[in-house]
Amino acid sequence: MGGTSGEVRGKSKVETYLKYFDLCAGIGSMMEGRNPDPAFKKYTKRQMVQDSETGEWFLYYHLHT
């Protein structure tokens, strides 16, 4: 299985989600046009964790090809 993985960080959950969405849209042509499904927006936000030192929210992701 191929793909790309990493993390996205932001000052709020909304900012983090928007960065994740932009990341997916930016590589959409390589990933067969896959963008985050709006139906899973709440699930995605529940997967975010807040860094206790910086206060930033981050989301680990793995996008399959």
Side-chain angles (χ1 to χ4, degrees):
M1 282 260 147
T4 183
S5 59
E7 70 178 39
V8 179
R9 290 182 168 261
K11 293 180 182 179
S12 66
K13 283 188 171 188
V14 172
E15 182 181 329
T16 306
Y17 180 80
L18 292 174
K19 286 182 179 183
Y20 173 65
F21 188 88
D22 289 344
L23 172 80
C24 292
I27 60 173
S29 59
M30 293 186 332
M31 307 294 284
E32 302 171 8
R34 295 181 189 165
N35 287 327
D37 188 337
F40 295 108
K41 185 175 182 178
K42 288 183 180 181
Y43 171 79
T44 303
K45 287 185 176 183
R46 282 194 306 266
Q47 299 308 306
M48 294 179 193
V49 179
Q50 191 170 25
D51 186 333
S52 61
E53 292 181 17
T54 64
E56 287 183 310
W57 288 91
F58 60 94
L59 172 67
Y60 292 112
Y61 65 86
H62 181 83
L63 303 173
H64 297 276
T65 54

